[in-house]
Each structure stands twice: as structure tokens, then as C-alpha cells.
């Protein structure tokens, strides 16, 4: 229970800090994997942003070049 609530707090805080970057009008369900136990805030934040990008729920900032770094969520702690 303690671990579950810690992960929940980290996901909610990550969402709160990036809320303005996300597309509206969608309900989001986040399921933490067992590997999330002991994950740092930075890992949770990176996983959440990666999943949001993968599902086209984040407004991408336009930059010059082909910078697609960080879009692989296959080794994510969230799903």
C-alpha cells in the first residue's frame, strides 16, 4: 500500500507539472509495473512523458532537425 501510494503521488505530481503540455479531452489511466517500486521521480516523469508522446497526447514543441530522442517507452516503469 505504501509503495502504491508513493507511485501514485509521483505520477500525479509529474502530470501536474506538465499539465499545460497535454492535449485535453482525454481520460488517462496509468498502471504502474512492478519495476516502478523504487523508481525515482525522474524515471516516473520520463516514463509518463514518453507514454503521452507515444499516444499523441502531448503538444510537441517544434524544433529544427529530427530530434526524436526519448520516444521509446518499451522499457518503461509505467504502461
Amino acid at each position: 500500500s505504501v509503495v502504491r501510494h508513493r507511485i501514485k503521488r509521483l505520477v500525479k505530481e509529474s502530470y501536474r507539472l506538465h499539465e499545460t503540455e497535454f492535449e485535453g479531452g482525454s481520460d488517462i489511466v496509468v498502471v504502474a509495473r512492478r519495476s516502478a517500486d523504487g523508481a525515482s521521480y525522474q524515471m516516473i516523469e520520463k516514463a509518463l512523458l514518453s507514454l503521452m508522446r507515444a499516444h499523441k497526447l502531448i503538444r510537441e514543441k517544434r524544433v529544427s532537425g529530427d530530434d526524436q530522442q526519448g520516444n521509446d517507452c518499451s522499457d518503461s516503469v509505467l504502461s
Side-chain angles (χ1 to χ4, degrees):
S1 176
V2 173
V3 173
R4 185 175 63 244
H5 285 103
R6 178 182 169 275
I7 299 302
K8 182 178 175 179
R9 285 192 309 273
L10 293 175
V11 170
K12 287 175 88 172
E13 180 65 4
S14 180
Y15 180 88
R16 185 187 70 80
L17 292 175
H18 295 281
E19 188 172 9
T20 59
E21 300 172 36
F22 300 144
E23 297 288 343
S26 297
D27 292 332
I28 300 167
V29 176
V30 177
V31 178
R33 296 180 179 172
R34 288 189 187 270
S35 61
D37 182 13
S40 67
Y41 170 77
Q42 290 79 16
M43 290 173 67
I44 298 293
E45 179 182 45
K46 182 179 176 183
L48 180 66
L49 292 174
S50 178
L51 286 167
M52 296 298 275
R53 281 187 201 98
H55 294 283
K56 311 265 190 271
L57 295 174
I58 194 166
R59 293 183 195 107
E60 290 292 335
K61 297 176 185 173
R62 298 291 179 215
V63 293
S64 60
D66 293 325
D67 185 20
Q68 295 295 323
Q69 182 178 356
N71 284 344
D72 180 24
C73 61
S74 60
D75 194 30
S76 176
V77 294
L78 303 175
S79 59

